[in-house]
Amino acid sequence: MRISYHKEYSRHLHRDMEYKVYGHAGKPMLVFPTSLGRFYQYEDSGMIQTLSQFIDAGKLQIWACDTLDEETFFSGGWNHEDKVQRHEQYDKYIMQELIPRILESSKASNGGSDQKILVSGCSMGAYYSASFFFRHPHVFDTLIALSGVYSTHYFFGDYMSGTVYLNSPLHYLPGLTDEHYLSAYRASRIILCVGQGAYEDEMLHETRLLQDLLQHKGIAAQIDYWGHDADHDWPWWNKQIHYYVGGCL
């Protein structure tokens, strides 16, 4: 398996950002870590090995990125607006720096064919993947979110500003009428999965809310509720990601 490590200065974040790339060709997949996790977490938690048959076959190429949780959603010293404004800088890093690099590299690795990205994550990574997917659907065509929340309530309680609103799909999707976005969602593959075991209560609740919302909007999605022994942990996410990615390729 081809693996490369990258450390690059971000003009939007004014700091170095790190990521790893796994594979030589195939569907580009961007993955976000869980809360306070790092770019190497996906590999350390067995997910790269779980997906290795697809990576080695040139069907899948994974970009595992860093987040700024310690400065944004999980900062202990910043107020809510400072946290979300720092996240907006992170949004620009992902969309204006990392995504163009993924698309350029993926096109070159796939015979000059333009690609769209599969975005995924577990727990906090599921929030990130869903938030980026719904906010920027023009670069994604597949979402696989495992055990996520889909609003900012978990992080900011009832606090709501315009910027927080833009990062809370369960708040802005009900009023969204722009067909540019809705048609992009309808043309994409959306997979939401959550267990029904330990530490999944909040995730179950918000998954059900998002399921109802997507149905109301006429947006097809695969929503799966795994059994009562399926808890909020990597052994289950390994099983789930292999099942869903295999069905997407």
Side-chain angles (χ1 to χ4, degrees):
M1 182 189 300
R2 181 188 299 172
I3 302 175
S4 59
Y5 162 78
H6 305 264
K7 184 176 183 179
E8 299 169 350
Y9 183 79
S10 166
R11 68 183 186 274
H12 288 101
L13 298 175
H14 307 291
R15 55 166 284 180
D16 289 330
M17 293 296 287
E18 297 171 273
Y19 63 93
K20 291 184 81 171
V21 184
Y22 305 85
H24 61 280
K27 180 72 174 177
M29 177 178 178
L30 173 62
V31 296
F32 293 91
T34 65
S35 55
L36 301 170
R38 296 296 311 279
F39 67 95
Y40 46 77
Q41 182 195 54
Y42 211 68
E43 179 180 355
D44 288 354
S45 300
M47 301 289 264
I48 298 299
Q49 179 60 39
T50 291
L51 297 172
S52 61
Q53 69 181 95
F54 308 120
I55 300 170
D56 291 339
K59 296 181 178 180
L60 185 69
Q61 194 171 26
I62 296 178
W63 276 258
C65 68
D66 258 340
T67 60
L68 293 180
D69 285 346
E70 72 281 359
E71 300 177 26
T72 57
F73 296 105
F74 293 94
S75 169
W78 294 18
N79 64 46
H80 289 333
E81 200 57 32
D82 287 341
K83 292 178 185 180
V84 77
Q85 290 300 330
R86 183 59 168 162
H87 174 71
E88 284 297 289
Q89 294 174 337
Y90 177 72
D91 181 277
K92 290 182 173 63
Y93 158 71
I94 292 292
M95 297 308 304
Q96 298 180 29
E97 298 182 56
L98 185 58
I99 292 290
R101 185 171 294 277
I102 293 173
L103 294 175
E104 179 184 15
S105 175
S106 184
K107 183 175 181 177
S109 298
N110 290 282
S113 175
D114 287 321
Q115 302 290 312
K116 285 196 172 184
I117 298 170
L118 186 166
V119 62
S120 185
C122 311
S123 190
M124 184 64 185
Y127 162 78
Y128 277 117
S129 61
S131 183
F132 276 98
F133 172 85
F134 287 115
R135 188 171 176 183
H136 306 286
H138 59 289
V139 297
F140 306 110
D141 64 3
T142 307
L143 166 66
I144 303 177
L146 307 178
S147 298
V149 295
Y150 304 108
S151 77
T152 54
H153 184 268
Y154 186 84
F155 317 112
F156 298 141
D158 293 330
Y159 178 79
M160 184 60 61
S161 67
T163 310
V164 172
Y165 179 84
L166 289 175
N167 290 283
S168 191
L170 283 177
H171 283 96
Y172 67 74
L173 286 174
L176 183 65
T177 59
D178 189 330
E179 280 298 324
H180 172 76
Y181 286 87
L182 295 174
S183 61
Y185 303 154
R186 291 174 183 138
S188 297
R189 185 163 190 173
I190 300 172
I191 299 171
L192 308 176
C193 173
V194 64
Q196 299 180 73
Y199 308 110
E200 290 279 50
D201 289 350
E202 185 78 17
M203 295 73 190
L204 271 167
H205 174 65
E206 296 215 346
T207 298
R208 291 186 179 111
L209 291 176
L210 185 53
Q211 178 180 15
D212 290 344
L213 176 54
L214 294 175
Q215 288 176 343
H216 180 73
K217 292 286 186 181
I219 300 167
Q222 180 178 347
I223 317 291
D224 289 341
Y225 299 90
W226 286 42
H228 291 280
D229 55 344
D231 56 14
H232 194 85
D233 205 357
W234 288 104
W236 284 102
W237 297 330
N238 270 270
K239 295 176 183 179
Q240 292 161 2
I241 199 64
H242 185 274
Y243 174 75
Y244 292 118
V245 168
C248 290
L249 298 180

mmCIF file of all heavy atoms in Angstrom, residues 110-156:
data_model
loop_
_atom_site.group_PDB
_atom_site.id
_atom_site.type_symbol
_atom_site.label_atom_id
_atom_site.label_comp_id
_atom_site.label_asym_id
_atom_site.label_seq_id
_atom_site.Cartn_x
_atom_site.Cartn_y
_atom_site.Cartn_z
ATOM 1 N N ASN A 110 -6.270 8.969 -11.455
ATOM 2 C CA ASN A 110 -7.355 8.207 -12.076
ATOM 3 C C ASN A 110 -7.488 8.534 -13.563
ATOM 4 O O ASN A 110 -8.591 8.693 -14.085
ATOM 5 C CB ASN A 110 -8.668 8.476 -11.333
ATOM 6 C CG ASN A 110 -8.689 7.852 -9.951
ATOM 7 O OD1 ASN A 110 -8.887 6.650 -9.798
ATOM 8 N ND2 ASN A 110 -8.466 8.664 -8.928
ATOM 9 N N GLY A 111 -6.341 8.639 -14.218
ATOM 10 C CA GLY A 111 -6.312 8.794 -15.669
ATOM 11 C C GLY A 111 -6.884 10.082 -16.196
ATOM 12 O O GLY A 111 -7.374 10.129 -17.333
ATOM 13 N N GLY A 112 -6.852 11.152 -15.399
ATOM 14 C CA GLY A 112 -7.364 12.438 -15.838
ATOM 15 C C GLY A 112 -8.859 12.598 -15.680
ATOM 16 O O GLY A 112 -9.435 13.595 -16.144
ATOM 17 N N SER A 113 -9.501 11.659 -15.022
ATOM 18 C CA SER A 113 -10.951 11.713 -14.819
ATOM 19 C C SER A 113 -11.291 12.556 -13.586
ATOM 20 O O SER A 113 -10.735 12.336 -12.510
ATOM 21 C CB SER A 113 -11.505 10.304 -14.641
ATOM 22 O OG SER A 113 -12.879 10.318 -14.335
ATOM 23 N N ASP A 114 -12.196 13.522 -13.766
ATOM 24 C CA ASP A 114 -12.638 14.340 -12.627
ATOM 25 C C ASP A 114 -13.358 13.477 -11.609
ATOM 26 O O ASP A 114 -14.135 12.587 -11.970
ATOM 27 C CB ASP A 114 -13.561 15.462 -13.095
ATOM 28 C CG ASP A 114 -12.814 16.561 -13.834
ATOM 29 O OD1 ASP A 114 -11.697 16.884 -13.408
ATOM 30 O OD2 ASP A 114 -13.353 17.073 -14.835
ATOM 31 N N GLN A 115 -13.111 13.754 -10.350
ATOM 32 C CA GLN A 115 -13.663 12.959 -9.261
ATOM 33 C C GLN A 115 -14.523 13.822 -8.344
ATOM 34 O O GLN A 115 -14.339 15.038 -8.266
ATOM 35 C CB GLN A 115 -12.523 12.340 -8.439
ATOM 36 C CG GLN A 115 -11.578 11.477 -9.225
ATOM 37 C CD GLN A 115 -12.207 10.175 -9.677
ATOM 38 O OE1 GLN A 115 -12.831 9.474 -8.883
ATOM 39 N NE2 GLN A 115 -12.063 9.851 -10.946
ATOM 40 N N LYS A 116 -15.436 13.167 -7.647
ATOM 41 C CA LYS A 116 -16.058 13.755 -6.468
ATOM 42 C C LYS A 116 -15.695 12.887 -5.272
ATOM 43 O O LYS A 116 -15.268 11.744 -5.423
ATOM 44 C CB LYS A 116 -17.571 13.880 -6.631
ATOM 45 C CG LYS A 116 -17.973 15.022 -7.557
ATOM 46 C CD LYS A 116 -19.443 15.386 -7.405
ATOM 47 C CE LYS A 116 -19.764 16.648 -8.200
ATOM 48 N NZ LYS A 116 -21.171 17.091 -7.987
ATOM 49 N N ILE A 117 -15.858 13.436 -4.089
ATOM 50 C CA ILE A 117 -15.267 12.856 -2.889
ATOM 51 C C ILE A 117 -16.305 12.148 -2.036
ATOM 52 O O ILE A 117 -17.422 12.644 -1.849
ATOM 53 C CB ILE A 117 -14.569 13.962 -2.070
ATOM 54 C CG1 ILE A 117 -13.428 14.578 -2.888
ATOM 55 C CG2 ILE A 117 -14.043 13.432 -0.741
ATOM 56 C CD1 ILE A 117 -12.846 15.835 -2.263
ATOM 57 N N LEU A 118 -15.934 10.997 -1.518
ATOM 58 C CA LEU A 118 -16.666 10.321 -0.455
ATOM 59 C C LEU A 118 -16.147 10.897 0.860
ATOM 60 O O LEU A 118 -14.948 10.856 1.121
ATOM 61 C CB LEU A 118 -16.423 8.816 -0.530
ATOM 62 C CG LEU A 118 -17.189 7.866 0.401
ATOM 63 C CD1 LEU A 118 -17.045 6.430 -0.096
ATOM 64 C CD2 LEU A 118 -16.765 7.937 1.865
ATOM 65 N N VAL A 119 -17.023 11.421 1.690
ATOM 66 C CA VAL A 119 -16.607 12.008 2.964
ATOM 67 C C VAL A 119 -17.189 11.184 4.105
ATOM 68 O O VAL A 119 -18.344 10.751 4.039
ATOM 69 C CB VAL A 119 -17.012 13.492 3.062
ATOM 70 C CG1 VAL A 119 -18.523 13.680 3.011
ATOM 71 C CG2 VAL A 119 -16.406 14.151 4.294
ATOM 72 N N SER A 120 -16.373 10.952 5.136
ATOM 73 C CA SER A 120 -16.811 10.050 6.191
ATOM 74 C C SER A 120 -16.130 10.390 7.510
ATOM 75 O O SER A 120 -15.131 11.113 7.562
ATOM 76 C CB SER A 120 -16.493 8.600 5.797
ATOM 77 O OG SER A 120 -17.014 7.682 6.741
ATOM 78 N N GLY A 121 -16.683 9.827 8.562
ATOM 79 C CA GLY A 121 -16.111 9.959 9.892
ATOM 80 C C GLY A 121 -16.992 9.262 10.909
ATOM 81 O O GLY A 121 -18.143 8.912 10.626
ATOM 82 N N CYS A 122 -16.424 9.066 12.088
ATOM 83 C CA CYS A 122 -17.122 8.410 13.189
ATOM 84 C C CYS A 122 -17.241 9.394 14.348
ATOM 85 O O CYS A 122 -16.300 10.147 14.629
ATOM 86 C CB CYS A 122 -16.352 7.180 13.671
ATOM 87 S SG CYS A 122 -15.841 6.059 12.363
ATOM 88 N N SER A 123 -18.391 9.388 15.028
ATOM 89 C CA SER A 123 -18.599 10.251 16.190
ATOM 90 C C SER A 123 -18.431 11.716 15.780
ATOM 91 O O SER A 123 -19.147 12.196 14.910
ATOM 92 C CB SER A 123 -17.641 9.835 17.312
ATOM 93 O OG SER A 123 -17.964 10.480 18.526
ATOM 94 N N MET A 124 -17.486 12.447 16.360
ATOM 95 C CA MET A 124 -17.260 13.831 15.952
ATOM 96 C C MET A 124 -16.911 13.911 14.469
ATOM 97 O O MET A 124 -17.289 14.857 13.777
ATOM 98 C CB MET A 124 -16.140 14.440 16.797
ATOM 99 C CG MET A 124 -15.888 15.928 16.530
ATOM 100 S SD MET A 124 -17.319 16.924 16.997
ATOM 101 C CE MET A 124 -16.795 18.551 16.452
ATOM 102 N N GLY A 125 -16.204 12.911 13.977
ATOM 103 C CA GLY A 125 -15.906 12.867 12.556
ATOM 104 C C GLY A 125 -17.141 12.750 11.701
ATOM 105 O O GLY A 125 -17.181 13.236 10.559
ATOM 106 N N ALA A 126 -18.177 12.090 12.223
ATOM 107 C CA ALA A 126 -19.446 12.007 11.496
ATOM 108 C C ALA A 126 -20.111 13.374 11.428
ATOM 109 O O ALA A 126 -20.701 13.742 10.407
ATOM 110 C CB ALA A 126 -20.373 10.997 12.161
ATOM 111 N N TYR A 127 -20.035 14.128 12.544
ATOM 112 C CA TYR A 127 -20.555 15.508 12.493
ATOM 113 C C TYR A 127 -19.832 16.301 11.415
ATOM 114 O O TYR A 127 -20.451 16.968 10.580
ATOM 115 C CB TYR A 127 -20.412 16.208 13.841
ATOM 116 C CG TYR A 127 -20.527 17.711 13.679
ATOM 117 C CD1 TYR A 127 -21.776 18.315 13.521
ATOM 118 C CD2 TYR A 127 -19.383 18.509 13.597
ATOM 119 C CE1 TYR A 127 -21.881 19.687 13.299
ATOM 120 C CE2 TYR A 127 -19.484 19.876 13.381
ATOM 121 C CZ TYR A 127 -20.728 20.460 13.216
ATOM 122 O OH TYR A 127 -20.830 21.806 12.977
ATOM 123 N N TYR A 128 -18.497 16.265 11.427
ATOM 124 C CA TYR A 128 -17.727 17.009 10.439
ATOM 125 C C TYR A 128 -18.104 16.589 9.020
ATOM 126 O O TYR A 128 -18.320 17.437 8.143
ATOM 127 C CB TYR A 128 -16.229 16.783 10.651
ATOM 128 C CG TYR A 128 -15.588 17.653 11.691
ATOM 129 C CD1 TYR A 128 -15.016 17.094 12.827
ATOM 130 C CD2 TYR A 128 -15.514 19.034 11.524
ATOM 131 C CE1 TYR A 128 -14.408 17.892 13.789
ATOM 132 C CE2 TYR A 128 -14.907 19.847 12.480
ATOM 133 C CZ TYR A 128 -14.354 19.257 13.608
ATOM 134 O OH TYR A 128 -13.751 20.058 14.558
ATOM 135 N N SER A 129 -18.138 15.292 8.775
ATOM 136 C CA SER A 129 -18.397 14.825 7.416
ATOM 137 C C SER A 129 -19.778 15.264 6.943
ATOM 138 O O SER A 129 -19.937 15.716 5.798
ATOM 139 C CB SER A 129 -18.235 13.306 7.324
ATOM 140 O OG SER A 129 -19.140 12.622 8.163
ATOM 141 N N ALA A 130 -20.787 15.153 7.800
ATOM 142 C CA ALA A 130 -22.134 15.572 7.417
ATOM 143 C C ALA A 130 -22.213 17.083 7.235
ATOM 144 O O ALA A 130 -22.839 17.582 6.291
ATOM 145 C CB ALA A 130 -23.144 15.112 8.459
ATOM 146 N N SER A 131 -21.570 17.823 8.126
ATOM 147 C CA SER A 131 -21.619 19.279 8.039
ATOM 148 C C SER A 131 -20.975 19.769 6.745
ATOM 149 O O SER A 131 -21.525 20.629 6.044
ATOM 150 C CB SER A 131 -20.921 19.898 9.253
ATOM 151 O OG SER A 131 -21.017 21.307 9.225
ATOM 152 N N PHE A 132 -19.818 19.234 6.403
ATOM 153 C CA PHE A 132 -19.168 19.636 5.152
ATOM 154 C C PHE A 132 -19.977 19.170 3.944
ATOM 155 O O PHE A 132 -20.099 19.901 2.951
ATOM 156 C CB PHE A 132 -17.743 19.100 5.103
ATOM 157 C CG PHE A 132 -16.749 19.980 5.819
ATOM 158 C CD1 PHE A 132 -16.360 19.687 7.120
ATOM 159 C CD2 PHE A 132 -16.220 21.100 5.201
ATOM 160 C CE1 PHE A 132 -15.457 20.513 7.794
ATOM 161 C CE2 PHE A 132 -15.315 21.930 5.861
ATOM 162 C CZ PHE A 132 -14.928 21.637 7.161
ATOM 163 N N PHE A 133 -20.523 17.976 4.011
ATOM 164 C CA PHE A 133 -21.322 17.473 2.895
ATOM 165 C C PHE A 133 -22.519 18.371 2.615
ATOM 166 O O PHE A 133 -22.769 18.764 1.468
ATOM 167 C CB PHE A 133 -21.790 16.045 3.187
ATOM 168 C CG PHE A 133 -22.768 15.516 2.183
ATOM 169 C CD1 PHE A 133 -22.331 14.933 1.007
ATOM 170 C CD2 PHE A 133 -24.136 15.605 2.407
ATOM 171 C CE1 PHE A 133 -23.234 14.447 0.069
ATOM 172 C CE2 PHE A 133 -25.052 15.126 1.480
ATOM 173 C CZ PHE A 133 -24.596 14.548 0.302
ATOM 174 N N PHE A 134 -23.287 18.698 3.630
ATOM 175 C CA PHE A 134 -24.495 19.482 3.410
ATOM 176 C C PHE A 134 -24.192 20.945 3.094
ATOM 177 O O PHE A 134 -24.947 21.586 2.363
ATOM 178 C CB PHE A 134 -25.421 19.372 4.620
ATOM 179 C CG PHE A 134 -26.102 18.048 4.743
ATOM 180 C CD1 PHE A 134 -25.839 17.205 5.813
ATOM 181 C CD2 PHE A 134 -27.006 17.627 3.778
ATOM 182 C CE1 PHE A 134 -26.463 15.967 5.925
ATOM 183 C CE2 PHE A 134 -27.639 16.387 3.879
ATOM 184 C CZ PHE A 134 -27.360 15.555 4.954
ATOM 185 N N ARG A 135 -23.098 21.450 3.595
ATOM 186 C CA ARG A 135 -22.759 22.857 3.343
ATOM 187 C C ARG A 135 -22.085 23.043 1.986
ATOM 188 O O ARG A 135 -22.243 24.086 1.350
ATOM 189 C CB ARG A 135 -21.859 23.379 4.465
ATOM 190 C CG ARG A 135 -21.602 24.873 4.403
ATOM 191 C CD ARG A 135 -20.899 25.364 5.644
ATOM 192 N NE ARG A 135 -20.575 26.775 5.547
ATOM 193 C CZ ARG A 135 -19.910 27.468 6.468
ATOM 194 N NH1 ARG A 135 -19.527 26.851 7.585
ATOM 195 N NH2 ARG A 135 -19.639 28.747 6.292
ATOM 196 N N HIS A 136 -21.347 22.033 1.530
ATOM 197 C CA HIS A 136 -20.569 22.162 0.295
ATOM 198 C C HIS A 136 -20.802 20.952 -0.621
ATOM 199 O O HIS A 136 -19.855 20.221 -0.941
ATOM 200 C CB HIS A 136 -19.083 22.276 0.624
ATOM 201 C CG HIS A 136 -18.735 23.359 1.592
ATOM 202 N ND1 HIS A 136 -18.728 24.702 1.253
ATOM 203 C CD2 HIS A 136 -18.364 23.300 2.905
ATOM 204 C CE1 HIS A 136 -18.367 25.424 2.300
ATOM 205 N NE2 HIS A 136 -18.150 24.602 3.310
ATOM 206 N N PRO A 137 -22.012 20.707 -1.063
ATOM 207 C CA PRO A 137 -22.303 19.463 -1.793
ATOM 208 C C PRO A 137 -21.680 19.391 -3.182
ATOM 209 O O PRO A 137 -21.671 18.312 -3.786
ATOM 210 C CB PRO A 137 -23.829 19.459 -1.875
ATOM 211 C CG PRO A 137 -24.212 20.908 -1.849
ATOM 212 C CD PRO A 137 -23.230 21.541 -0.900
ATOM 213 N N HIS A 138 -21.153 20.487 -3.701
ATOM 214 C CA HIS A 138 -20.625 20.468 -5.065
ATOM 215 C C HIS A 138 -19.357 19.632 -5.208
ATOM 216 O O HIS A 138 -19.007 19.243 -6.327
ATOM 217 C CB HIS A 138 -20.347 21.898 -5.538
ATOM 218 C CG HIS A 138 -19.376 22.665 -4.689
ATOM 219 N ND1 HIS A 138 -19.684 23.109 -3.428
ATOM 220 C CD2 HIS A 138 -18.092 23.047 -4.916
ATOM 221 C CE1 HIS A 138 -18.641 23.746 -2.908
ATOM 222 N NE2 HIS A 138 -17.663 23.712 -3.789
ATOM 223 N N VAL A 139 -18.666 19.331 -4.111
ATOM 224 C CA VAL A 139 -17.423 18.549 -4.223
ATOM 225 C C VAL A 139 -17.585 17.116 -3.721
ATOM 226 O O VAL A 139 -16.670 16.306 -3.857
ATOM 227 C CB VAL A 139 -16.244 19.222 -3.485
ATOM 228 C CG1 VAL A 139 -15.929 20.568 -4.106
ATOM 229 C CG2 VAL A 139 -16.527 19.352 -2.001
ATOM 230 N N PHE A 140 -18.735 16.793 -3.131
ATOM 231 C CA PHE A 140 -18.969 15.457 -2.572
ATOM 232 C C PHE A 140 -20.109 14.772 -3.321
ATOM 233 O O PHE A 140 -21.047 15.425 -3.770
ATOM 234 C CB PHE A 140 -19.333 15.547 -1.090
ATOM 235 C CG PHE A 140 -18.340 16.300 -0.251
ATOM 236 C CD1 PHE A 140 -18.654 17.539 0.286
ATOM 237 C CD2 PHE A 140 -17.086 15.765 0.013
ATOM 238 C CE1 PHE A 140 -17.742 18.233 1.060
ATOM 239 C CE2 PHE A 140 -16.165 16.448 0.790
ATOM 240 C CZ PHE A 140 -16.483 17.680 1.318
ATOM 241 N N ASP A 141 -20.031 13.447 -3.401
ATOM 242 C CA ASP A 141 -21.173 12.703 -3.934
ATOM 243 C C ASP A 141 -21.570 11.536 -3.041
ATOM 244 O O ASP A 141 -22.514 10.825 -3.342
ATOM 245 C CB ASP A 141 -20.912 12.214 -5.357
ATOM 246 C CG ASP A 141 -19.781 11.204 -5.459
ATOM 247 O OD1 ASP A 141 -19.198 10.820 -4.417
ATOM 248 O OD2 ASP A 141 -19.465 10.796 -6.598
ATOM 249 N N THR A 142 -20.840 11.346 -1.927
ATOM 250 C CA THR A 142 -21.161 10.259 -1.000
ATOM 251 C C THR A 142 -20.836 10.695 0.425
ATOM 252 O O THR A 142 -19.765 11.272 0.676
ATOM 253 C CB THR A 142 -20.354 8.987 -1.324
ATOM 254 O OG1 THR A 142 -20.517 8.647 -2.700
ATOM 255 C CG2 THR A 142 -20.811 7.819 -0.454
ATOM 256 N N LEU A 143 -21.762 10.406 1.330
ATOM 257 C CA LEU A 143 -21.569 10.654 2.758
ATOM 258 C C LEU A 143 -21.790 9.347 3.506
ATOM 259 O O LEU A 143 -22.816 8.696 3.329
ATOM 260 C CB LEU A 143 -22.561 11.708 3.260
ATOM 261 C CG LEU A 143 -22.710 11.836 4.792
ATOM 262 C CD1 LEU A 143 -21.419 12.352 5.427
ATOM 263 C CD2 LEU A 143 -23.896 12.738 5.142
ATOM 264 N N ILE A 144 -20.803 8.964 4.334
ATOM 265 C CA ILE A 144 -20.971 7.837 5.252
ATOM 266 C C ILE A 144 -20.662 8.361 6.654
ATOM 267 O O ILE A 144 -19.499 8.582 6.995
ATOM 268 C CB ILE A 144 -20.051 6.655 4.907
ATOM 269 C CG1 ILE A 144 -20.282 6.179 3.476
ATOM 270 C CG2 ILE A 144 -20.283 5.513 5.894
ATOM 271 C CD1 ILE A 144 -19.347 5.058 3.036
ATOM 272 N N ALA A 145 -21.689 8.600 7.435
ATOM 273 C CA ALA A 145 -21.545 9.163 8.776
ATOM 274 C C ALA A 145 -21.941 8.106 9.805
ATOM 275 O O ALA A 145 -23.063 7.607 9.776
ATOM 276 C CB ALA A 145 -22.414 10.405 8.923
ATOM 277 N N LEU A 146 -21.012 7.788 10.690
ATOM 278 C CA LEU A 146 -21.224 6.727 11.674
ATOM 279 C C LEU A 146 -21.281 7.321 13.080
ATOM 280 O O LEU A 146 -20.320 7.956 13.534
ATOM 281 C CB LEU A 146 -20.086 5.698 11.597
ATOM 282 C CG LEU A 146 -19.790 5.104 10.209
ATOM 283 C CD1 LEU A 146 -18.609 4.139 10.284
ATOM 284 C CD2 LEU A 146 -21.021 4.411 9.639
ATOM 285 N N SER A 147 -22.406 7.150 13.751
ATOM 286 C CA SER A 147 -22.569 7.544 15.159
ATOM 287 C C SER A 147 -22.320 9.024 15.378
ATOM 288 O O SER A 147 -21.553 9.428 16.261
ATOM 289 C CB SER A 147 -21.624 6.725 16.051
ATOM 290 O OG SER A 147 -21.914 5.354 15.991
ATOM 291 N N GLY A 148 -22.975 9.859 14.576
ATOM 292 C CA GLY A 148 -22.759 11.297 14.682
ATOM 293 C C GLY A 148 -23.919 12.051 15.287
ATOM 294 O O GLY A 148 -25.032 11.549 15.401
ATOM 295 N N VAL A 149 -23.632 13.306 15.683
ATOM 296 C CA VAL A 149 -24.674 14.297 15.931
ATOM 297 C C VAL A 149 -24.669 15.237 14.737
ATOM 298 O O VAL A 149 -23.656 15.381 14.047
ATOM 299 C CB VAL A 149 -24.452 15.070 17.242
ATOM 300 C CG1 VAL A 149 -24.564 14.141 18.438
ATOM 301 C CG2 VAL A 149 -23.118 15.815 17.249
ATOM 302 N N TYR A 150 -25.801 15.898 14.513
ATOM 303 C CA TYR A 150 -25.943 16.676 13.292
ATOM 304 C C TYR A 150 -26.457 18.090 13.554
ATOM 305 O O TYR A 150 -27.001 18.735 12.667
ATOM 306 C CB TYR A 150 -26.834 15.918 12.307
ATOM 307 C CG TYR A 150 -26.262 14.534 12.060
ATOM 308 C CD1 TYR A 150 -26.886 13.385 12.573
ATOM 309 C CD2 TYR A 150 -25.052 14.384 11.402
ATOM 310 C CE1 TYR A 150 -26.330 12.132 12.389
ATOM 311 C CE2 TYR A 150 -24.483 13.124 11.227
ATOM 312 C CZ TYR A 150 -25.122 12.006 11.717
ATOM 313 O OH TYR A 150 -24.553 10.764 11.552
ATOM 314 N N SER A 151 -26.261 18.540 14.776
ATOM 315 C CA SER A 151 -26.526 19.931 15.122
ATOM 316 C C SER A 151 -25.393 20.407 16.025
ATOM 317 O O SER A 151 -24.544 19.622 16.450
ATOM 318 C CB SER A 151 -27.869 20.076 15.847
ATOM 319 O OG SER A 151 -27.758 19.659 17.209
ATOM 320 N N THR A 152 -25.401 21.692 16.335
ATOM 321 C CA THR A 152 -24.389 22.263 17.225
ATOM 322 C C THR A 152 -24.821 22.234 18.684
ATOM 323 O O THR A 152 -24.100 22.734 19.551
ATOM 324 C CB THR A 152 -24.070 23.707 16.821
ATOM 325 O OG1 THR A 152 -25.296 24.448 16.767
ATOM 326 C CG2 THR A 152 -23.381 23.753 15.455
ATOM 327 N N HIS A 153 -25.996 21.676 18.978
ATOM 328 C CA HIS A 153 -26.502 21.684 20.354
ATOM 329 C C HIS A 153 -25.549 20.965 21.298
ATOM 330 O O HIS A 153 -25.356 21.391 22.448
ATOM 331 C CB HIS A 153 -27.886 21.041 20.412
ATOM 332 C CG HIS A 153 -28.516 21.098 21.773
ATOM 333 N ND1 HIS A 153 -28.375 20.088 22.717
ATOM 334 C CD2 HIS A 153 -29.267 22.062 22.367
ATOM 335 C CE1 HIS A 153 -29.015 20.421 23.820
ATOM 336 N NE2 HIS A 153 -29.565 21.609 23.638
ATOM 337 N N TYR A 154 -24.951 19.897 20.842
ATOM 338 C CA TYR A 154 -24.020 19.114 21.671
ATOM 339 C C TYR A 154 -22.828 19.963 22.110
ATOM 340 O O TYR A 154 -22.277 19.759 23.185
ATOM 341 C CB TYR A 154 -23.549 17.905 20.870
ATOM 342 C CG TYR A 154 -22.700 16.918 21.641
ATOM 343 C CD1 TYR A 154 -23.283 15.938 22.434
ATOM 344 C CD2 TYR A 154 -21.320 16.957 21.556
ATOM 345 C CE1 TYR A 154 -22.509 15.020 23.127
ATOM 346 C CE2 TYR A 154 -20.529 16.045 22.247
ATOM 347 C CZ TYR A 154 -21.128 15.085 23.035
ATOM 348 O OH TYR A 154 -20.355 14.179 23.720
ATOM 349 N N PHE A 155 -22.432 20.947 21.281
ATOM 350 C CA PHE A 155 -21.247 21.750 21.553
ATOM 351 C C PHE A 155 -21.566 23.104 22.179
ATOM 352 O O PHE A 155 -20.834 23.583 23.041
ATOM 353 C CB PHE A 155 -20.473 21.993 20.252
ATOM 354 C CG PHE A 155 -20.369 20.768 19.399
ATOM 355 C CD1 PHE A 155 -21.035 20.691 18.183
ATOM 356 C CD2 PHE A 155 -19.624 19.671 19.809
ATOM 357 C CE1 PHE A 155 -20.951 19.558 17.386
ATOM 358 C CE2 PHE A 155 -19.531 18.527 19.028
ATOM 359 C CZ PHE A 155 -20.198 18.470 17.823
ATOM 360 N N PHE A 156 -22.669 23.738 21.740
ATOM 361 C CA PHE A 156 -22.959 25.111 22.135
ATOM 362 C C PHE A 156 -24.280 25.274 22.892
ATOM 363 O O PHE A 156 -24.680 26.391 23.199
ATOM 364 C CB PHE A 156 -22.998 26.019 20.897
ATOM 365 C CG PHE A 156 -21.698 26.088 20.148
ATOM 366 C CD1 PHE A 156 -21.684 26.126 18.767
ATOM 367 C CD2 PHE A 156 -20.480 26.120 20.813
ATOM 368 C CE1 PHE A 156 -20.491 26.198 18.061
ATOM 369 C CE2 PHE A 156 -19.282 26.191 20.122
ATOM 370 C CZ PHE A 156 -19.292 26.233 18.747
#
